[in-house]
Amino acid sequence: IWPVILIALGAWVLIGPAVMRRGVETEQVSIPLEGATKAHVRLRHGAGRLEIKGGAGANDAVSGAFGGGVDYRARMDGDILKVRLRVPSDFFCPFPMFGGGGLDWSVALNNTIPMGLDIGGGANAAHLDLTELKLTELRIETGASSMELMLPANAGFTQVRIESGAASMNIRVPDGVAARIRASGGASDISVDASRFPRAGDVYQSPDYETAANKVEIKEEMGAGAIRIR
């Protein structure tokens, strides 16, 4: 039986990606602002690739292309539009590591209104360019992932909370943005640019943090992973 299983597995390795690419459809979605002056977006992604950036239409809170589809809902809470995006309950990809077979999401957010962003993910590869966004709060919970994260350049004050497992993370604080950083983890490799963010005890902090017009407060808790903050 084992030779048969090995042959079948080898055949799947050869033809699986093509089959999965044909089987996974991409859904185009735009969620209007509905007159909101603020927004909060909660996104739950699975295995695959995730891209988030600014650039949604002036009248949209969120727009994007969602490989594998997306379940979403939006509701007004006062002047805040609350948006929820998640993987469809009936989505199934037995081998998400094959390119094109998993959840490939490319998401654009409105960059003209204050926004909170809450991201949860599994074994994904994420590229988050949040440079243009007016983020007031960013929360990330992720497992065995690889992530490139660029923080806002002109959002005033942004709180960042990250909880990760066996992740590899590169975080970029834009020039002209001050930062206060607390990073902890058991078997983690933590590297912070001390020339920009000198260390004092268990905190790394820009010399002008208290008076800076644009600043971020980062709290990071990691498992066995690596984080670079520059």
Side-chain angles (χ1 to χ4, degrees):
I1 187 66
W2 283 110
V4 174
I5 292 175
L6 292 174
I7 291 172
L9 181 60
W12 176 255
V13 168
L14 293 174
I15 68 172
V19 172
M20 294 306 298
R21 277 192 290 270
R22 289 197 295 269
V24 175
E25 296 182 356
T26 297
E27 182 177 358
Q28 302 286 337
V29 170
S30 293
I31 301 174
L33 275 173
E34 301 179 4
T37 58
K38 301 176 184 177
H40 187 276
V41 176
R42 184 175 185 267
L43 184 150
R44 293 296 179 262
H45 185 254
R49 291 189 291 266
L50 173 64
E51 177 187 52
I52 300 178
K53 58 185 179 181
N59 296 317
D60 291 332
V62 181
S63 62
F66 299 84
V70 61
D71 285 345
Y72 67 92
R73 61 185 177 90
R75 66 179 180 87
M76 291 294 298
D77 183 1
D79 62 346
I80 303 174
L81 180 67
K82 294 188 175 181
V83 180
R84 303 293 181 261
L85 306 161
R86 67 178 182 86
V87 177
S89 57
D90 59 351
F91 179 82
F92 174 68
C93 179
F95 295 97
M97 71 287 292
F98 291 129
L103 294 159
D104 292 350
W105 286 9
S106 179
V107 184
L109 303 177
N110 189 290
N111 55 12
T112 64
I113 62 171
M115 180 176 292
L117 180 58
D118 183 342
I119 301 170
N124 62 6
H127 182 84
L128 313 179
D129 185 353
L130 313 180
T131 310
E132 300 178 353
L133 299 180
K134 304 297 184 183
L135 277 188
T136 57
E137 179 183 4
L138 173 63
R139 183 178 179 85
I140 298 173
E141 296 182 24
T142 185
S145 64
S146 172
M147 180 176 293
E148 297 285 336
L149 170 60
M150 285 159 279
L151 294 174
N154 190 29
F157 176 62
T158 305
Q159 283 189 324
V160 180
R161 301 290 182 267
I162 301 173
E163 298 179 13
S164 60
S168 173
M169 306 187 72
N170 288 310
I171 300 176
R172 172 66 181 171
V173 180
D175 293 338
V177 177
R180 174 186 289 158
I181 302 162
R182 296 179 184 270
S184 62
S188 301
D189 176 13
I190 300 171
S191 174
V192 178
D193 183 355
S195 66
R196 291 189 64 191
F197 318 113
R199 183 170 183 173
D202 60 351
V203 176
Y204 300 85
Q205 182 170 305
S206 303
D208 63 339
Y209 179 82
E210 298 297 340
T211 60
N214 294 297
K215 54 190 173 184
V216 296
E217 181 184 64
I218 303 172
K219 291 186 178 180
E220 220 301 351
E221 295 182 8
M222 295 190 68
I227 181 171
R228 302 286 183 272
I229 302 177
R230 299 289 184 265

